[in-house]
């Protein structure tokens, strides 16, 4: 019965993320999407923190532990009603022009063409974004068409492994903290849950910084690879030295949360929205939701598999090395997540080189014009 209830709960909860990413993507243009959606995505870490604190508070009582499910359900239900009544899904729905869906380099490319043709340098960078039609009125695309969009498969597989790491920590970190000695002290289940929230605190900052860097560079895959590559040695450092003192435990945990949550947050929000509003499906919010569903759904499979693998690896093991194989599994997963994006990274680096050349060309053309 509990398994069936969990399946129903997961099915209905899974419908929320693609829809909200599509809505936010409709309101935020590509130029600042990573930063704004990074701030917005911090709500997941805030929810993890609050949920962990509620669960930790009720975990010691067999009579009231069920309330840790009731409280979030009441909040979700109340917010669902508010969103249903008040949220406009697109700017066009309230008579506002949609944001630019082009990045700065696309505007610069149009500027180069304009200057080379001796046209005015004052031109409309949003000329392709003035359509006041409601995107919800445009038919959606098929699953296979969305899957064929360049970059969707790579980012989906990368998110599988990135989310595996994050959700393994989310669900298993309190248990791990409870089984080890930190500065010569063993913490109970409630305190372990409180300590584990520092992983999400680091994740909040990481998601914002990761999004900001992606906006500044225009290189989503490159930023994800850098963050994932940094998280691999940090996992080893946390496992090896996190128990030396309480300060070391919190500090390393925060930094690890910063680097491991950043790519997960970027891929599920800004990257999904970018791919869903690419030149293949521009202006189609249904396509955006489909792309987001494919990427996040693949990631959710990793989020499900990670804790299960962990339970198998620690089964029958006791002592300080109980989680040793788990950390090796997490390091391997973070490595694979980065490797999945190497092809896209090289493409982004070539694009970055072209942007540098283009900006030099713009400067030279303007200098000669003056």
């Amino acid at each position: 019965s509990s398994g069936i209830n969990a399946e129903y709960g997961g099915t209905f909860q899974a419908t929320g993320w693609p829809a909200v990413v599509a809505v936010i993507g409709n309101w935020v243009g590509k130029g600042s999407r990573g930063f704004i959606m990074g701030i917005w995505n911090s709500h997941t870490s805030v929810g993890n923190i609050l949920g962990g604190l509620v669960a930790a508070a009720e975990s010691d009582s067999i009579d009231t532990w069920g309330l840790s499910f009731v409280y979030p359900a009441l909040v979700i239900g109340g917010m669902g009603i508010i969103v249903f009544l008040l949220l406009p899904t697109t700017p066009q729905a309230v008579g506002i022009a949609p944001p630019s869906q082009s990045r700065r380099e696309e505007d610069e490319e149009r500027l180069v063409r304009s200057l080379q043709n001796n046209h005015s340098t004052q031109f409309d960078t949003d000329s392709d974004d003035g359509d006041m039609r409601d995107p919800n009125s445009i038919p959606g695309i098929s699953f296979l068409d969305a899957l064929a969009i360049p970059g969707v498969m790579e980012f989906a597989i990368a998110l599988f492994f990135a989310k595996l790491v994050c959700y393994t920590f989310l669900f298993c970190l309190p248990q791990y903290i409870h089984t080890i000695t930190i500065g010569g002290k063993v913490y109970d289940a409630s305190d372990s849950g409180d300590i584990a929230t520092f992983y999400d605190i680091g994740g909040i900052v990481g998601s914002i910084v990761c999004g900001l860097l992606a906006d500044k560079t225009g290189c989503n895959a490159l930023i994800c690879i850098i963050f994932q590559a940094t998280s691999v040695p940090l996992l080893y450092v946390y496992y090896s030295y996190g128990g030396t003192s309480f300060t070391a435990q919190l500090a390393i945990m925060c930094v690890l949360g910063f680097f491991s949550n950043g790519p997960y947050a970027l891929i599920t929000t800004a990257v999904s929205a970018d791919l869903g509003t690419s030149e293949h499906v521009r202006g189609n919010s249904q396509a955006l939701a489909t792309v987001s569903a494919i990427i996040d759904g693949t990631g959710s499979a990793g989020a499900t598999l990670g804790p299960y693998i962990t339970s198998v690896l620690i089964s029958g093991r006791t002592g300080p090395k109980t989680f040793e194989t788990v950390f090796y599994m997490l390091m391997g997963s973070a490595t694979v997540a980065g490797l999945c994006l190497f092809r896209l990274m090289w493409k982004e680096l070539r694009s970055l080189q072209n942007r540098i050349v283009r900006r030099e060309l713009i400067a030279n053309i303007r200098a000669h014009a003056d």
Side-chain angles (χ1 to χ4, degrees):
S1 176
S2 61
I4 295 176
N5 289 336
E7 290 178 4
Y8 276 117
T11 300
F12 284 103
Q13 289 178 45
T15 62
W17 192 254
V20 296
V21 170
V23 171
I24 299 298
N26 289 334
W27 280 91
V28 182
K30 284 188 177 180
S32 57
R33 183 171 282 165
F35 178 62
I36 293 176
M37 295 187 99
I39 296 175
W40 171 75
N41 187 71
S42 65
H43 72 271
T44 58
S45 293
V46 173
N48 290 341
I49 292 170
L50 295 178
L53 293 175
V54 170
E58 302 294 344
S59 62
D60 292 332
S61 174
I62 194 172
D63 297 322
T64 62
W65 69 268
L67 293 176
S68 61
F69 294 94
V70 174
Y71 295 146
L74 293 175
V75 173
I76 292 172
M79 289 305 300
I81 295 173
I82 294 173
V83 168
F84 177 76
L85 295 176
L86 301 178
L87 177 66
T89 58
T90 65
Q92 297 94 315
V94 290
I96 301 175
S100 171
Q101 297 295 353
S102 63
R103 288 195 183 275
R104 184 172 59 181
E105 60 267 20
E106 296 170 3
D107 297 335
E108 290 173 347
E109 186 174 352
R110 290 200 293 269
L111 177 57
V112 170
R113 292 198 300 266
S114 177
L115 290 171
Q116 289 176 329
N117 293 330
N118 295 320
H119 291 158
S120 169
T121 59
Q122 300 298 321
F123 67 99
D124 181 13
T125 60
D126 300 334
S127 58
D128 60 340
D129 298 303
D131 190 354
M132 291 295 291
R133 292 180 301 165
D134 189 338
N136 292 323
S137 65
I138 304 173
I141 64 174
S142 70
F143 175 85
L144 293 179
D145 287 339
L147 201 62
I149 296 173
V152 169
M153 279 295 297
E154 287 98 329
F155 276 112
I157 297 173
L159 184 62
F160 175 94
F161 291 100
K163 211 167 179 179
L164 184 152
V165 174
C166 291
Y167 273 73
T168 299
F169 260 87
L170 177 65
F171 290 110
C172 302
L173 190 56
Q175 181 184 359
Y176 170 71
I177 294 171
H178 182 53
T179 60
I180 64 173
T181 301
I182 301 176
K185 181 179 179 180
V186 176
Y187 290 86
D188 60 26
S190 179
D191 290 336
S192 297
D194 294 342
I195 294 171
T197 61
F198 280 83
Y199 177 77
D200 279 302
I201 293 174
I204 292 173
V205 181
S207 63
I208 296 172
V209 173
C210 192
L212 180 61
L213 292 174
D215 284 341
K216 294 296 184 182
T217 62
C219 300
N220 294 328
L222 174 63
I223 298 303
C224 287
I225 288 174
I226 292 173
F227 271 61
Q228 291 288 5
T230 307
S231 70
V232 174
L234 281 173
L235 282 164
Y236 179 80
V237 171
Y238 176 71
Y239 174 71
S240 301
Y241 304 104
T244 55
S245 69
F246 187 74
T247 302
Q249 174 70 206
L250 298 186
I252 301 173
M253 188 188 300
C254 276
V255 177
L256 180 57
F258 177 94
F259 283 102
S260 61
N261 271 285
Y264 155 50
L266 181 65
I267 295 173
T268 56
T269 55
V271 169
S272 296
D274 282 354
L275 293 173
T277 54
S278 65
E279 64 273 11
H280 302 275
V281 290
R282 178 156 304 175
N284 191 334
S285 64
Q286 278 74 20
L288 198 163
T290 303
V291 169
S292 177
I294 291 172
I295 293 176
D296 192 62
T298 306
S300 295
T304 303
L305 187 63
Y308 173 76
I309 294 176
T310 299
S311 66
V312 173
L313 292 176
I314 66 174
S315 178
R317 297 172 64 95
T318 58
K321 293 187 177 294
T322 299
F323 281 83
E324 182 179 27
T325 54
V326 174
F327 275 88
Y328 286 125
M329 181 266 290
L330 296 177
M331 286 186 277
S333 297
T335 301
V336 174
L339 292 175
C340 289
L341 302 176
F342 257 77
R343 185 188 71 85
L344 297 176
M345 181 196 70
W346 289 119
K347 183 179 179 181
E348 290 176 348
L349 289 176
R350 289 195 298 269
S351 177
L352 181 61
Q353 184 181 25
N354 292 335
R355 290 202 302 272
I356 295 173
V357 173
R358 189 161 54 238
R359 289 169 188 172
E360 292 177 351
L361 178 60
I362 291 173
N364 292 333
I365 293 175
R366 282 177 168 167
H368 285 90
D370 294 338

